[in-house]
């Protein structure tokens, strides 16, 4: 079922001439599989993570600066957290938190929250949170944009365990609209997307299948990949916050401190010299 597709791990922007509507299409395979290789997620969670990664890939195209967007689905039940992140270059990572009792058949999003956080490398962090009213992740995103951004947005997200795919339409706040029926017409057409189409067709074929009677303008593709932002330096900074005495106690017990990144499973080991180096003020020349 995985045929050659030129748009694997790519996203593409498109817009419709004479309207204030634009869209984004994304297809993930290697970037998604890189997450699954690092975690033994049950199928239900693996699929939800795929949908969330696809959504994050779509939204990260809106980042106009160096920084990061994080999507979190926070739930009250046995699956407590689904999280996916991307920087402006489409470098993605994701994680799920759940317990052994996680229901393997159905993931109910009712009573959950969707949080979207935007963190520019330089500038103010922004976070919006909305209650999830049930439905799926695509519906939760649509509700989020309606409530917190007052921006008409619709999402279609699919995952089959091998690939994840996303499709987004957004109505820009603009007066330049000569086609008042466009939003209804274009979203109605997008609602005919089938999972196997979005997961298998090239972006060009998908857009042609939906919009061959519309004036679609496409923009250059950009790459999507898996990348974890962890490093020994960042891990050291986190350890530093525990304080010297606490770290010293840990070293006395075990001889070294090992920290494993929960996103990528990379292990960082700190020996006594490494810990001392975190506190240069203790070693004046
Ligand atoms: Zn990592």
């Amino acid at each position: 079922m995985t045929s050659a597709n030129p748009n694997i791990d790519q996203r593409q922007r498109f817009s419709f001439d004479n309207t204030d509507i634009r869209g984004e299409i994304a297809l993930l395979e290697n970037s998604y599989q890189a997450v699954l290789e690092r975690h033994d997620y049950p199928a239900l969670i693996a699929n939800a993570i795929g949908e969330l990664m696809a959504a994050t890939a779509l939204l990260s195209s809106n980042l106009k600066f160096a920084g990061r967007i994080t999507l979190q689905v926070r739930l009250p039940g046995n699956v407590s957290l689904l999280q996916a992140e991307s920087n402006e270059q489409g470098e993605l990572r994701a994680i799920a938190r759940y317990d052994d009792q996680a229901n393997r058949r159905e993931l109910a999003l009712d009573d959950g929250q969707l949080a979207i956080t935007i963190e520019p490398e330089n500038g103010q962090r922004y976070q919006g949170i909305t209650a999830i009213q049930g439905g799926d992740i695509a519906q939760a995103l649509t509700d989020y944009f309606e409530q917190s951004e007052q921006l008409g947005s619709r999402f279609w997200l699919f995952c089959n365990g091998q690939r994840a795919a996303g499709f987004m339409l957004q109505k820009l706040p603009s007066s330049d609209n000569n086609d008042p029926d466009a939003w209804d017409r274009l979203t109605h057409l997008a609602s005919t997307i089938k999972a196997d189409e979005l997961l298998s067709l090239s972006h060009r074929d998908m857009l042609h299948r939906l919009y061959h009677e519309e004036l679609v303008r496409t923009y250059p593709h950009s790459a999507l990949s898996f990348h974890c932002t962890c490093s020994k330096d960042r891990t050291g900074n986190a350890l530093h916050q525990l304080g010297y005495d606490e770290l010293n106690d840990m070293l006395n017990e075990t001889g070294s401190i090992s920290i494993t990144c929960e996103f990528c499973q990379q292990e960082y080991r700190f020996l006594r010299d490494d810990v001392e180096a975190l506190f240069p003020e203790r070693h004046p020349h």
Side-chain angles (χ1 to χ4, degrees):
M1 72 171 303
T2 46
S3 54
N5 183 316
N7 299 132
I8 284 174
D9 295 303
Q10 288 187 339
R11 66 180 174 206
Q12 183 172 29
R13 171 157 296 186
F14 54 91
S15 62
F16 301 90
D17 286 2
N18 306 318
T19 76
D20 51 5
I21 298 163
R22 69 171 184 206
E24 195 83 27
I25 181 170
L27 181 61
L28 292 70
E29 182 166 336
N30 299 316
S31 50
Y32 170 51
Q33 290 301 318
V35 169
L36 298 192
E37 282 163 13
R38 288 165 172 80
H39 303 273
D40 190 20
Y41 291 144
L44 182 79
I45 290 172
N47 276 301
I49 279 288
E51 289 187 12
L52 198 65
M53 286 182 73
T56 306
L58 296 173
L59 290 173
S60 66
S61 69
N62 289 348
L63 290 174
K64 298 285 182 282
F65 42 77
R68 175 163 61 175
I69 182 166
T70 301
L71 272 62
Q72 287 185 325
V73 174
R74 304 168 181 167
L75 299 170
N78 302 107
V79 180
S80 59
L81 179 73
L82 304 168
Q83 177 172 333
E85 305 175 2
S86 177
N87 62 12
E88 80 287 354
Q89 296 178 52
E91 295 178 327
L92 295 141
R93 63 178 191 170
I95 196 169
R97 293 210 186 97
Y98 59 98
D99 66 24
D100 294 342
Q101 306 302 312
N103 184 334
R104 303 297 164 88
R105 285 167 304 170
E106 196 181 344
L107 182 65
L109 303 183
D110 309 83
D111 303 321
Q113 289 180 328
L114 174 67
I116 299 184
T117 310
I118 294 172
E119 294 164 284
E121 256 169 43
N122 299 300
Q124 194 71 33
R125 176 180 184 270
Y126 166 83
Q127 183 173 67
I129 302 176
T130 52
I132 298 176
Q133 319 281 355
D136 52 16
I137 292 173
Q139 183 62 47
L141 279 159
T142 297
D143 293 344
Y144 173 95
F145 278 91
E146 205 159 89
Q147 289 167 34
S148 63
E149 312 273 338
Q150 275 109 45
L151 191 62
S153 304
R154 289 287 304 276
F155 294 83
W156 292 265
L157 305 170
F158 300 104
C159 183
N160 63 6
Q162 183 68 30
R163 292 177 179 172
F167 193 93
M168 169 176 78
L169 292 178
Q170 283 193 317
K171 193 174 189 312
L172 298 169
S174 121
S175 54
D176 176 28
N177 184 5
N178 306 319
D179 185 355
D181 301 326
W183 180 249
D184 287 345
R185 187 174 73 249
L186 298 172
T187 53
H188 176 75
L189 287 166
S191 299
T192 66
I193 294 174
K194 294 184 178 65
D196 61 341
E197 292 176 329
L198 196 60
L199 289 162
S200 64
L201 294 179
S202 68
H203 293 169
R204 202 180 73 161
D205 288 350
M206 189 70 237
L207 290 172
H208 180 74
R209 140 89 172 79
L210 292 172
Y211 297 130
H212 53 90
E213 291 180 358
E214 305 287 338
L215 294 169
V216 182
R217 186 177 300 269
T218 54
Y219 298 83
H221 288 94
S222 58
L224 301 168
S225 61
F226 173 82
H227 175 72
C228 190
T229 49
C230 69
S231 66
K232 187 156 186 178
D233 274 356
R234 283 174 194 232
T235 309
N237 289 341
L239 281 178
H240 183 269
Q241 296 186 6
L242 294 177
Y244 183 82
D245 293 341
E246 173 83 25
L247 297 176
N248 204 33
D249 287 349
M250 291 162 78
L251 283 172
N252 287 340
E253 269 176 40
T254 56
S256 69
I257 301 171
S258 287
I259 304 285
T260 302
C261 173
E262 60 175 347
F263 283 91
C264 72
Q265 308 291 335
Q266 172 73 43
E267 184 180 330
Y268 296 101
R269 194 149 167 262
F270 289 78
L271 302 173
R272 185 167 292 279
D273 283 352
D274 301 315
V275 171
E276 294 292 343
L278 296 176
F279 298 87
E281 69 278 10
R282 295 182 58 91
H283 308 280
H285 289 293

